[in-house]
């Protein structure tokens, strides 16, 4: 099983700042089979990025994904008030598909 | 517009059974892989089950992680455009919000979820 470790656990930033979220895999995630989701309190997760760097339909351009192998990053270029939420990475290279434990992006 | 509406959650005793439903609209469910993902209260996400679709898939092949294998069964009713998750031998650790999602590898659309509580 691939274990995904996200860092930091909590990130405190202000609107307009740049956010960098990390996801590290316990073994190589082949074919960049990695997705990112956003979840707000009381809501279902929302797909942001798949294939490590492809934005899902309707996702603003300020969200970007990068990385390969064992190290992946989600970057939010300029934070908007609605971006404060919990973010999860997920690998789908090897079964079982697994998620990271999440990074909480909170308002500073 | 893709819409997914789960139902069937509730309180069940340990060892009991429950069937969750997910009514799909905006697309033909049988054509696409469908998945159940759960989230224990205050915790992260866990991939629970997938059934492949007729487009690009094995047309009904199912997948379960070890944590639910032999206890959970995913299925669909094509006439009702509805996905199901039959859960048996339920344990306290199965307590979670269960989400229905469209997709095989990653979940591109999600329902709002239904809460399952396993407790005596």
């Amino acid at each position: 099983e691939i274990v995904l470790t996200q860092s930091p656990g909590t990130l405190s930033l202000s609107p307009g700042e740049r956010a960098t979220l990390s996801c590290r895999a316990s073994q190589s995630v082949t074919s960049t089979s990695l997705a990112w989701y956003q979840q707000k309190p009381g809501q279902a997760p929302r797909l942001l990025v798949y294939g490590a760097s492809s934005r899902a339909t309707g996702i603003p351009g300020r969200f970007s994904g990068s990385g390969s192998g064992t190290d992946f990053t989600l970057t939010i270029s300029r934070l908007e008030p609605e971006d404060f939420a919990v973010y999860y990475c997920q690998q789908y290279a090897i079964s079982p598909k697994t998620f990271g434990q999440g990074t909480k992006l909170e308002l500073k | 517009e893709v819409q997914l509406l789960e139902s069937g959650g509730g309180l069940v005793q340990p060892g009991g059974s429950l069937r969750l439903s997910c009514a799909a609209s905006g697309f033909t469910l049988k054509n696409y892989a469908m998945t159940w993902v759960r989230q224990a209260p205050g915790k992260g996400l866990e991939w629970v089950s997938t059934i492949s679709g007729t487009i690009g898939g094995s047309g009904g092949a199912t997948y379960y992680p070890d944590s639910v294998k032999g206890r959970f069964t995913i299925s669909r009713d094509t006439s009702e455009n509805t996905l199901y998750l039959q859960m048996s031998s339920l344990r306290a650790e199965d307590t979670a919000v269960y989400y229905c999602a469209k997709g095989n590898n990653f979940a591109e659309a999600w329902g709002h979820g239904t809460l399952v509580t396993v407790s005596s």
Side-chain angles (χ1 to χ4, degrees):
Chain A
E1 174 175 323
I2 295 181
V3 176
L4 299 178
T5 302
Q6 293 186 240
S7 61
T10 301
L11 185 58
S12 300
L13 294 171
S14 300
E17 291 192 291
R18 181 185 187 91
T20 303
L21 287 66
S22 174
C23 177
R24 176 163 290 179
S26 59
Q27 58 185 281
S28 182
V29 176
T30 56
S31 304
T32 57
S33 299
L34 189 110
W36 289 93
Y37 302 87
Q38 176 194 67
Q39 187 177 33
K40 297 179 181 178
Q43 296 184 18
R46 177 175 69 147
L47 177 68
L48 299 175
V49 169
Y50 62 93
S53 60
S54 297
R55 267 191 306 275
T57 303
I59 301 304
R62 63 181 182 274
F63 291 90
S64 63
S66 63
S68 63
T70 60
D71 290 299
F72 297 86
T73 300
L74 177 70
T75 301
I76 311 171
S77 58
R78 287 180 57 86
L79 286 166
E80 297 287 343
E82 61 267 27
D83 298 337
F84 293 91
V86 178
Y87 291 82
Y88 294 95
C89 59
Q90 177 236 325
Q91 68 80 23
Y92 47 95
I94 293 175
S95 291
K97 301 176 182 69
T98 51
F99 292 88
Q101 84 282 12
T103 289
K104 182 179 181 180
L105 178 55
E106 66 175 22
L107 195 56
K108 187 174 182 179
Chain B
E1 180 192 4
V2 171
Q3 290 194 331
L4 301 167
L5 183 62
E6 301 96 334
S7 60
L11 176 63
V12 60
Q13 292 189 336
S17 298
L18 206 58
R19 189 179 79 160
L20 306 182
S21 301
C22 171
S25 59
F27 69 105
T28 302
L29 187 142
K30 69 174 184 179
N31 290 344
Y32 297 91
M34 296 294 296
T35 287
W36 289 95
V37 176
R38 69 183 179 184
Q39 185 170 36
K43 302 297 184 182
L45 301 164
E46 182 185 10
W47 201 279
V48 170
S49 183
T50 295
I51 185 167
S52 65
T54 56
I55 296 178
S58 306
T62 57
Y63 158 81
Y64 309 93
D66 288 344
S67 58
V68 306
K69 192 176 295 182
R71 301 189 299 122
F72 289 12
T73 302
I74 189 171
S75 63
R76 61 187 172 216
D77 183 327
T78 55
S79 64
E80 297 289 330
N81 217 42
T82 298
L83 180 74
Y84 299 103
L85 185 68
Q86 178 69 48
M87 305 184 294
S88 61
S89 302
L90 284 163
R91 308 166 181 167
E93 55 265 35
D94 295 319
T95 294
V97 174
Y98 285 73
Y99 295 101
C100 163
K102 180 173 181 259
N104 180 10
N105 291 317
F106 50 86
E108 62 187 73
W110 299 65
H112 61 86
T114 187
L115 176 63
V116 173
T117 303
V118 184
S119 175
S120 54

